């Protein structure tokens, strides 16, 4: 494998690269404001046009040096153990650390601690945020000093949703969602997220999307290319106009997610009846993301969702927020 050149990054913030014994990084979850899906490519991946927004549901990864006698291993501990989150090589945090080590020739290993706040398998890219945080934390701990461009390349190799949490704020995604362009915007948006009792598998939702598109297009399937983002959406972001943004929210995976979980329709209705501008399935679901016009309405929507008993939990978060950053 070609090693990436590990050089001190002049833009690196936080502890001096390579000198710290512990580096803590925070990275945000996301909501898709727009998600258009094309027909699967020959490699099986679906081409996407999407608009990501980073929300204040924050994952924290702490990377620590190991004792000298334990050096060379990559280990992961969860701050709150969860049966749905593996701690071995299946975890994106471990895979991210290993990929960076291989790409830069580092052999010293790391102890990683993960604190999760993004719902697991909820369509909010929690695992991807963790991987982005792990890349940045290890880059600092090991003093490998890769710049953002190299980290984004490594992130894309880990998964389509991993580059975005490195960038944060609001961004347009092309390719499989990994080719990012930042979008200008102003203002703060108030989101209410209704969490489901059980996660949905992203591949299962895409498979149902393919079945439904084949059935509805007389067997032709989805158009080869995804739709472009409407000008009204980028204009709403530039103006910081929540009501106009609400009108533009769209998710091609919503029908498939609702087909797999019909009870989510009631969650959407409850949120909109309580004053949400719009409520949609977040990414591949099953989280429902409700956009509120202001903080008081967000509180009302959250209360209505809690009282309905139709979801497992409700969390509020404002957006957009910054991408992965070293905090200690
Ligand atoms: P996306 O929106 O990118 O499709 P998601 O938010 O729906 O992702 P994740 O929370 O990232 O889903 O987790 C999906 C699955 O990935 C989990 O069921 C779990 O088995 C596995 N996984 C691997 N690494 C992690 C991680 N760090 N946190 C949570 N789950 C992880």
């Amino acid at each position: 494998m070609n090693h990436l050149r590990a050089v001190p990054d002049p833009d690196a913030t936080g502890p001096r690269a390579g000198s710290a014994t512990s580096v803590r990084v925070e990275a945000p979850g996301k909501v898709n404001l727009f998600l258009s899906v094309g027909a699967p490519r020959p490699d099986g991946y679906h081409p996407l046009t999407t608009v990501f927004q980073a929300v204040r549901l924050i994952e924290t990864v702490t990377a620590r040096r190991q004792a000298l006698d334990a050096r060379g291993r990559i280990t992961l501990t969860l701050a709150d153990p969860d049966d749905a989150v593996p701690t071995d090589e299946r975890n994106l945090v471990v895979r991210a650390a290993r990929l960076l080590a291989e790409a830069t020739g580092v052999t010293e290993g790391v102890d990683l601690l993960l604190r999760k706040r993004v719902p697991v398998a909820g369509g909010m890219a929690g695992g991807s945020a963790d991987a982005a945080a792990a890349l940045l934390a290890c880059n600092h701990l090991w003093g490998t000093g890769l710049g953002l461009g190299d980290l984004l390349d490594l992130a894309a190799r880990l998964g389509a949703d991993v580059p975005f949490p490195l960038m944060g704020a609001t961004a347009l995604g092309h390719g499989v969602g990994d080719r990012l362009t930042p979008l200008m915007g102003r203002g703060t948006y108030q989101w209410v997220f209704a969490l489901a009792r059980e996660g949905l598998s992203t591949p299962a939702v895409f498979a149902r999307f393919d079945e439904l598109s084949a059935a509805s297009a007389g067997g032709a399937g989805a158009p080869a290319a995804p739709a472009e983002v409407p000008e009204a959406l980028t204009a709403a972001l530039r103006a910081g106009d929540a009501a106009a943004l609400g009108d533009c929210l769209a998710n091609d995976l919503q029908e498939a997610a609702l087909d797999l979980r019909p009870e989510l329709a009631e969650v959407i209705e409850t949120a909109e009846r309580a004053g949400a501008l719009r409520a949609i399935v977040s990414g591949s679901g099953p989280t429902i993301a409700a956009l509120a016009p202001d903080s008081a309405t967000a509180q009302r929507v959250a209360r209505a969702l809690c009282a309905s008993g139709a979801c497992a939990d409700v969390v509020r978060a404002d957006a957009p927020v910054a991408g992965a950053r070293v905090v200690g």
Side-chain angles (χ1 to χ4, degrees):
M1 150 176 289
N2 282 338
H3 282 188
L4 290 170
R5 206 153 50 93
V7 290
D9 176 4
D11 297 330
T13 52
R16 192 157 58 81
S19 65
T21 54
S22 159
V23 177
R24 195 165 82 243
V25 169
E26 292 183 349
K30 60 85 184 164
V31 61
N32 298 80
L33 307 179
F34 180 86
L35 178 55
S36 176
V37 182
R41 308 183 306 203
D43 64 6
Y45 285 96
H46 291 77
L48 306 177
T49 302
T50 190
V51 176
F52 295 109
Q53 186 165 74
V55 302
R56 202 181 300 281
L57 287 181
I58 303 296
E59 304 283 83
T60 310
V61 169
T62 307
R64 288 178 297 209
R65 271 186 214 292
Q66 295 165 316
L68 270 180
D69 55 353
R71 286 214 168 172
R73 290 173 54 223
I74 293 174
T75 57
L76 171 63
T77 308
L78 297 178
D80 307 294
D82 178 340
D83 288 346
V85 181
T87 54
D88 56 18
E89 295 290 328
R90 287 169 297 170
N91 197 296
L92 275 167
V93 166
V94 176
R95 286 168 45 204
R98 188 158 317 284
L99 180 64
L100 178 66
E102 283 170 9
T104 55
V106 166
T107 55
E108 71 171 75
V110 60
D111 278 334
L112 296 155
L113 174 69
L114 169 60
R115 194 191 71 174
K116 293 193 66 71
R117 290 292 176 266
V118 176
V120 175
M124 298 189 70
S128 300
D130 303 342
L135 282 176
L136 191 60
C138 292
N139 190 41
H140 276 259
L141 187 79
W142 292 334
T144 37
L146 299 187
L148 182 62
D150 282 335
L151 291 177
L152 286 168
D153 287 345
L154 290 181
R157 284 160 59 183
L158 290 163
D161 281 351
V162 183
F164 175 68
L166 279 173
M167 187 179 266
T170 308
L172 177 64
H174 279 120
V176 289
D178 56 329
R179 289 199 339 255
L180 299 173
T181 313
L183 285 175
M184 298 298 291
R186 63 158 64 98
T188 299
Y189 299 91
Q190 301 293 326
W191 290 96
V192 182
F193 297 102
L195 316 189
R197 293 195 171 78
E198 214 186 310
L200 258 180
S201 138
T202 303
V205 177
F206 274 99
R208 185 55 59 94
F209 169 84
D210 290 337
E211 285 162 17
L212 291 173
S213 341
S216 69
E228 272 316 312
V229 174
E231 167 57 27
L233 191 152
T234 47
L237 286 171
R238 281 196 305 274
D241 184 338
L245 182 65
D247 287 340
C248 299
L249 296 178
N251 181 357
D252 274 1
L253 294 178
Q254 174 151 321
E255 193 188 350
L258 292 184
D259 197 60
L260 291 165
R261 293 283 170 80
E263 66 274 18
L264 293 177
E266 187 195 325
V267 181
I268 291 176
E269 257 176 57
T270 304
E272 292 185 346
R273 231 183 299 119
L277 296 163
R278 274 290 291 290
I280 58 165
V281 168
S282 173
S284 55
T287 301
I288 298 297
L291 178 62
D294 50 53
S295 180
T297 311
Q299 198 168 344
R300 217 167 52 236
V301 171
R303 262 197 254 114
L305 286 167
C306 283
S308 74
C311 46
D313 203 358
V314 178
V315 288
R316 283 181 54 190
D318 64 318
V321 296
R325 62 199 181 100
V326 176
V327 292

